[in-house]
Amino acid sequence: MNSIKKKLSIVIISFLIQITLFNTFSYSQDKLLITNPRVEYKTNPIGIDELKPRFSWEIISDKKNILQTKFEIVFSNDENNFDSQQKSWEIIKESDQSIHVEYEGPELQSRQRVYWKVRVWDNHDRISDWSEVSFWEMGLLNSGDWKAEFVQANITEDIKKSQPAQYFRKEFETAKKIKNARLYITSHGLYEAYINGEKVGDQVFTPGWTSYNKRLQYQTYDITNMIKDQNAIGVILGDGWYRGYLAWNDNRNVYGEKLAVLAQIEIEYSDGSKSIVNTDETWEATNNGPIIKSDIYMGEKYDARKELTGWNTFGYDESWEKTSVKYFDKNNLVASEGPAVRKIQEVNPVKIIPKDNGKYIFDMGQNMVGRIRLNVKGESGRIITLRHAEVLDKYGNFYTENLRVAKQEINYTLKSNEIETYEPYFTFQGFRYVEVSNFPGEPNLESITGIVIHSDMTPTGNFSCSDPLINQLQSNIQWGLKGNFLDVPTDCPQRDERLGWTGDAQVFAPTACFNVDAAMFYTKWLKDLSADQDSTGKVGDVIPNILNNGGGHTGWADAAIVVPWTVYQKYGDVRILQNQYESMKEWIGYMENRAGNDFLWDNDWHYGDWLSFDASSASYMGAYTETDLIATAYFSYSSNLVSKISKILGKQNEAEYYAELSKNINKAFLNEFVTNSGRLVSNTQTAYTLALAFNLLPEDVAQKAVKYLAQNVERFKHITTGFLGTPLISKTLTENGRIDLAYMLLTRKNYPSWLYPVTMGATTIWERWDGMKPDSTFQDKGMNSFNHYAYGAIGDWLYSTVAGIKMDESDPGYKSIIINPNPGGDLTFAEASYNSMYGKIKTHWQLKDNSMELNITVPPNTTAYVLFDSEKNIILDGNEVTQSMLEKYEGNNSRIKIGSGSYKFVYNITK
């Protein structure tokens, strides 16, 4: 009997398992889900000031060929009430649009929080479940919403040098149950805010760097859970970009001489009443704290013996100085728009190198940007010094000459004989090596930790292949991006510069957008570009523009057009074109005025093809390609882009005007710089690359120019381009039938090449092709950064050509995807993934004998076109592709259209 019961139990259990598996399988085969709902690229943002916010989402489905056919978004002021009676409004449309759906509801008000959710219909007659409930919250939309005023400490200072940090505080009480509380805050200088002893938020280097006198960001924090019956708010201010050292020649106080803070706490109680605590003359201040000085370039000096215990808590009774109210204009206050700067990751040292002088050099194993957290135990009064460097010299000595006057030095004075942990406040360094002096005893690998700091952009891309050196190159590109995307796209993170150079930014933008979600990072920065553009249309060399009378240089100022165009292409973002359109036209107008009636821009100095290889003298500084040629080429290219942009924005007259302008510039370029045989007056790789990449030549002349370019590459057997030619040469060679030469340039290991720094141990991209020479000596110490992302622009080619993930310019944002991998060199496989606005795109190819296996993932609500150079023997998911499935595409090529899902192709290739 027991045996029968046991067998019966097994049968029942087996049956139940099959039912469960059936239900699970049925569900997984038929699910249609919404994920990653965003408002203005962000998840549940608070404190925004966009009056027409846009909504985006991604679709998940196990079916192939999924297209959205309809969507419904419902909005409510109450997250628990979305039924037909309680919802505030809705958007219902028969549309495949799932990104940048614009808000159409009632006018939004300051402080308003709106909840929303979305569902979609697909082309298989399915309706998704509602997405999770999301929200956004408006900031203070009008200057009149600010009841607070800026306050300054009544402290005498020597503004000619770095000053101690300033501490501000205010106590307040609440006597009712709190519903919610917000802190709106900004400063002249950098701030950190505390409530009841706890740091507010996890951002650093707030309020960020903008053109402060025109656009000063404020941050909004939800502090509901931080408020008690008795409270204290404390704020620390450091010099930062506002009045610290900036650029060269002991340049300080660029935006002002005095630090100030503007803070407004708004509390809403459960009974509906409200109260405000804001900066006014009742706040107190001191500069007699532990931060003796703090500067972005120079570093920080901290005396732990002077710590102000309890200064940011209620009941602190030390006597501080009074503050003064300063009535600064608040019309320049804007909500934070770019991604917040945060501590992103930690790096542990890999080695300690003891030196004879009692100093220790820590090798972090990675050139990084951020700062060091120190863990130490020693007697009170001992001063420990940390210095930071990117490289060691050929003898293993600490090398800092390339920092110029930037000290990158931390001094920490111990307070006790207990374990102390310290991390700087208002400074960051670019470094791989840390020299520690006067450490008590012998340090170990746990004595310091590297804190990586940069704008918190969502990683979106990865690339790898069969060549480990190229994989290291990809890593170097990503680390170079991290190190130079700290609120603005800087040139370098270590020397006395760290400025938002426009030329570097525009050449690297396509690569940046593959590796991270950079849309809002660039959106914020471009608004400062427009704000700093002068009345003639001239664009600064650096943004924010702190270099007086600088700017107007070809390839640099064109960031005004190239960067928003790149963001539009990568993210399908039309609004950035709308926002920057007037700025674009003004820059074109500036070039028109400089060029005159002959359409040749040939009368101004330019950086040219910066740091190119000068074959005649092996000197980097010469603009070897004639700068008039480069300037005229960019004049045409940017004019043509503005023509395209005008058409996209429905401005037909302007589109025709700029198209005609570009056409006339092309004619002038051809007459001035091109011989009848198709040879350019500057017989350089950059000259031919720009002429071909910008479509400046008639077809017959272009074919001749391709031959000259190829001959030049074959003659040198290496790259000779600088900042402007390098991002385009590989693409240009590929598109003109010489991908073999593009691969030769990529895989070359000797100087000059992308892989040469890798063979020399680089972990980031260098400023120069030979920042460190083959004999391990260094290039010119006056300009030799080892973390400079411009040459990392090759990353765009790795993703788009080697891995084969390309966008369709006619259907931007990867709504329509072109898959066209191009094997070459000695690579046996390559793969890449890219998290687009619609979801993950992925390719992986591998060579097997004379065939290639290609695996592709296409996200829902998109379409992909897979390109082939042959129509024979193409196998798709085990089945032969018929001629009816293929269509002709550009000459002898063919393509097949596929919808969302995962696919495996196998086909013959010709080596």
Side-chain angles (χ1 to χ4, degrees), residues 442-624:
E442 185 175 337
N444 56 46
L445 292 177
E446 287 72 45
S447 297
I448 69 170
T449 304
I451 311 298
V452 178
I453 297 173
H454 57 81
S455 292
D456 192 5
M457 302 163 291
T458 302
T460 54
N462 277 298
F463 171 89
S464 64
C465 66
S466 57
D467 188 331
L469 294 180
I470 296 175
N471 293 339
Q472 183 62 49
L473 172 64
Q474 165 68 6
S475 175
N476 293 3
I477 291 169
Q478 291 181 325
W479 275 97
L481 185 157
K482 293 177 185 179
N484 286 289
F485 274 49
L486 199 157
D487 208 47
V488 300
T490 58
D491 59 325
C492 62
Q494 75 296 90
R495 68 188 181 213
D496 57 340
E497 195 163 353
R498 313 186 196 190
L499 305 177
W501 284 93
T502 48
D504 305 53
Q506 75 94 354
V507 299
F508 190 70
T511 297
C513 291
F514 260 125
N515 285 287
V516 296
D517 181 351
M520 295 310 293
F521 179 87
Y522 283 128
T523 297
K524 172 253 182 187
W525 182 71
L526 285 166
K527 288 185 177 180
D528 287 305
L529 184 149
S530 299
D532 282 343
Q533 197 168 2
D534 73 14
S535 59
T536 68
K538 181 169 65 174
V539 175
D541 291 335
V542 299
I543 302 296
N545 188 8
I546 63 156
L547 304 179
N548 295 331
N549 300 318
H553 297 122
T554 190
W556 270 247
D558 293 277
I561 297 166
V562 176
V563 176
W565 174 249
T566 299
V567 173
Y568 162 73
Q569 288 184 302
K570 291 289 188 177
Y571 305 103
D573 191 335
V574 176
R575 183 173 289 175
I576 198 168
L577 302 181
Q578 297 168 334
N579 290 345
Q580 299 300 132
Y581 187 66
E582 291 304 316
S583 170
M584 297 179 197
K585 291 201 304 180
E586 289 171 8
W587 169 237
I588 297 295
Y590 178 87
M591 289 190 286
E592 285 184 277
N593 289 333
R594 301 307 299 168
N597 294 330
D598 63 359
F599 302 103
L600 291 172
W601 192 3
D602 57 0
N603 54 357
D604 288 324
W605 183 89
H606 299 281
Y607 295 104
D609 193 29
W610 188 248
L611 297 184
S612 62
F613 178 88
D614 188 332
S616 63
S617 65
S619 168
Y620 277 92
M621 293 302 297
Y624 183 65

Side-chain angles (χ1 to χ4, degrees), residues 44 78 96 125 133 169 251 261 275 311 315 367 373 379 397 411 517 537 552 572 581 608 743 829 904:
N44 296 336
D78 185 341
D96 66 350
D125 298 321
V133 175
R169 71 184 308 273
N251 193 37
V261 60
S275 65
W311 73 275
N367 197 11
R373 184 172 64 232
E379 68 275 16
N397 297 317
N411 298 121
D517 181 351
Y581 187 66
Y743 265 105
F829 81 85
K904 178 180 178 180

Side-chain angles (χ1 to χ4, degrees), residues 601-890:
W601 192 3
D602 57 0
N603 54 357
D604 288 324
W605 183 89
H606 299 281
Y607 295 104
D609 193 29
W610 188 248
L611 297 184
S612 62
F613 178 88
D614 188 332
S616 63
S617 65
S619 168
Y620 277 92
M621 293 302 297
Y624 183 65
T625 303
E626 189 174 336
T627 58
D628 295 347
L629 181 153
I630 296 173
T632 304
Y634 261 100
F635 184 18
S636 174
Y637 175 62
S638 288
S639 298
N640 185 53
L641 285 184
V642 175
S643 175
K644 292 181 180 180
I645 291 166
S646 299
K647 188 174 182 180
I648 291 166
L649 299 180
K651 302 176 183 292
Q652 190 58 39
N653 290 339
E654 288 93 334
E656 293 174 0
Y657 174 83
Y658 291 113
E660 184 65 20
L661 174 61
S662 180
K663 183 178 178 180
N664 288 331
I665 301 168
N666 284 6
K667 291 178 181 177
F669 181 92
L670 192 65
N671 291 333
E672 183 73 11
F673 301 114
V674 186
T675 69
N676 292 333
S677 65
R679 186 184 178 97
L680 298 181
V681 294
S682 292
N683 186 37
T684 66
Q685 293 174 16
T686 291
Y688 292 111
T689 292
L690 295 182
L692 292 165
F694 295 168
N695 295 314
L696 305 180
L697 308 175
E699 180 61 31
D700 59 330
V701 178
Q703 292 177 3
K704 298 175 183 177
V706 170
K707 292 181 180 179
Y708 284 120
L709 173 60
Q711 289 172 2
N712 189 293
V713 174
E714 289 169 336
R715 177 163 61 93
F716 282 102
K717 295 182 173 57
H718 63 71
I719 198 166
T720 65
T721 53
F723 276 28
L724 297 183
T726 298
L728 299 171
I729 187 170
S730 298
K731 178 183 177 183
T732 301
L733 288 168
T734 301
E735 291 178 347
N736 288 280
R738 295 308 307 266
I739 193 172
D740 59 318
L741 294 179
Y743 265 105
M744 183 271 285
L745 296 179
L746 172 67
T747 57
R748 176 183 166 87
K749 300 178 183 63
N750 296 329
Y751 157 77
S753 68
W754 284 286
L755 296 186
Y756 166 72
V758 175
T759 66
M760 298 295 288
T763 60
T764 45
I765 300 297
W766 293 353
E767 180 177 21
R768 297 174 177 270
W769 290 119
D770 64 341
M772 181 183 292
K773 297 179 180 180
D775 64 358
S776 294
T777 58
F778 299 118
Q779 251 287 353
D780 178 11
K781 65 183 180 181
M783 194 172 65
N784 194 22
S785 164
F786 293 94
N787 194 348
H788 221 92
Y789 57 61
Y791 286 144
I794 185 62
D796 178 62
W797 188 78
L798 296 178
Y799 281 98
S800 62
T801 300
V802 178
I805 300 176
K806 295 184 178 181
M807 58 191 167
D808 184 345
E809 185 177 307
S810 65
D811 204 356
Y814 295 91
K815 176 67 170 170
S816 178
I817 308 159
I818 298 173
I819 304 295
N820 184 27
N822 291 267
D826 293 324
L827 297 187
T828 58
F829 81 85
E831 63 180 353
S833 63
Y834 172 64
N835 291 330
S836 73
M837 291 291 291
Y838 297 93
K840 180 173 286 189
I841 305 166
K842 188 173 182 179
T843 63
H844 177 282
W845 60 259
Q846 186 167 355
L847 301 182
K848 295 181 179 180
D849 298 325
N850 291 322
S851 67
M852 184 166 83
E853 180 180 300
L854 172 63
N855 290 278
I856 301 169
T857 299
V858 179
N861 206 29
T862 66
T863 300
Y865 293 90
V866 187
L867 274 55
F868 304 95
D869 59 6
S870 171
E871 297 181 0
K872 299 179 181 180
N873 300 320
I874 302 173
I875 305 298
L876 170 58
D877 292 337
N879 300 306
E880 185 173 352
V881 173
T882 63
Q883 290 298 312
S884 62
M885 299 170 64
L886 293 166
E887 59 181 83
K888 290 289 185 181
Y889 179 75
E890 293 185 355

Side-chain angles (χ1 to χ4, degrees), residues 240-504:
W241 295 287
Y242 188 83
R243 73 169 190 180
Y245 289 100
L246 207 52
W248 314 283
N249 302 320
D250 290 330
N251 193 37
R252 287 182 54 82
N253 307 302
V254 171
Y255 297 100
E257 297 179 348
K258 297 282 287 183
L259 302 179
V261 60
L262 176 74
Q264 184 163 304
I265 295 176
E266 298 189 2
I267 303 173
E268 181 181 2
Y269 299 98
S270 297
D271 64 3
S273 60
K274 300 178 181 179
S275 65
I276 294 178
V277 179
N278 54 262
T279 43
D280 57 22
E281 68 280 355
T282 66
W283 283 53
E284 298 176 313
T286 186
N287 66 348
N288 190 26
I291 305 176
I292 308 303
K293 67 175 183 179
S294 190
D295 183 83
I296 288 176
Y297 289 177
M298 302 303 174
E300 190 163 293
K301 185 176 182 179
Y302 188 96
D303 188 342
R305 298 171 301 178
K306 300 184 69 175
E307 288 178 344
L308 305 169
T309 303
W311 73 275
N312 48 20
T313 60
F314 188 87
Y316 183 75
D317 60 0
E318 295 294 326
S319 177
W320 284 15
E321 302 295 331
K322 293 185 179 298
T323 59
S324 297
V325 171
K326 299 296 178 181
Y327 296 98
F328 293 105
D329 185 8
K330 301 188 192 73
N331 288 309
N332 69 331
L333 296 179
V334 296
S336 291
E337 197 161 21
V341 177
R342 292 190 172 96
K343 304 173 189 178
I344 302 299
Q345 68 186 95
E346 297 187 357
V347 176
N348 296 315
V350 297
K351 182 169 59 174
I352 300 176
I353 307 170
K355 306 302 288 187
D356 293 338
N357 53 12
K359 300 178 180 180
Y360 298 87
I361 297 176
F362 286 74
D363 180 1
M364 306 305 294
Q366 172 64 54
N367 197 11
M368 55 171 281
V369 174
R371 51 206 188 199
I372 287 296
R373 184 172 64 232
L374 175 67
N375 295 292
V376 63
K377 180 180 178 180
E379 68 275 16
S380 176
R382 177 185 284 265
I383 300 174
I384 299 173
T385 299
L386 308 180
R387 296 200 303 148
H388 304 74
E390 295 183 292
V391 292
L392 304 180
D393 69 15
K394 64 187 299 182
Y395 304 107
N397 297 317
F398 210 65
Y399 182 78
T400 59
E401 291 184 14
N402 67 321
L403 303 181
R404 301 192 298 226
V405 302
K407 289 186 177 180
Q408 289 207 130
E409 182 174 294
I410 303 297
N411 298 121
Y412 178 74
T413 304
L414 280 71
K415 65 180 177 182
S416 67
N417 201 30
E418 302 296 328
I419 295 176
E420 301 176 33
T421 300
Y422 162 73
E423 183 182 324
Y425 285 76
F426 301 119
T427 186
F428 66 87
Q429 288 77 45
F431 63 99
R432 172 174 173 170
Y433 298 94
V434 182
E435 180 193 76
V436 180
S437 303
N438 202 32
F439 193 91
E442 185 175 337
N444 56 46
L445 292 177
E446 287 72 45
S447 297
I448 69 170
T449 304
I451 311 298
V452 178
I453 297 173
H454 57 81
S455 292
D456 192 5
M457 302 163 291
T458 302
T460 54
N462 277 298
F463 171 89
S464 64
C465 66
S466 57
D467 188 331
L469 294 180
I470 296 175
N471 293 339
Q472 183 62 49
L473 172 64
Q474 165 68 6
S475 175
N476 293 3
I477 291 169
Q478 291 181 325
W479 275 97
L481 185 157
K482 293 177 185 179
N484 286 289
F485 274 49
L486 199 157
D487 208 47
V488 300
T490 58
D491 59 325
C492 62
Q494 75 296 90
R495 68 188 181 213
D496 57 340
E497 195 163 353
R498 313 186 196 190
L499 305 177
W501 284 93
T502 48
D504 305 53

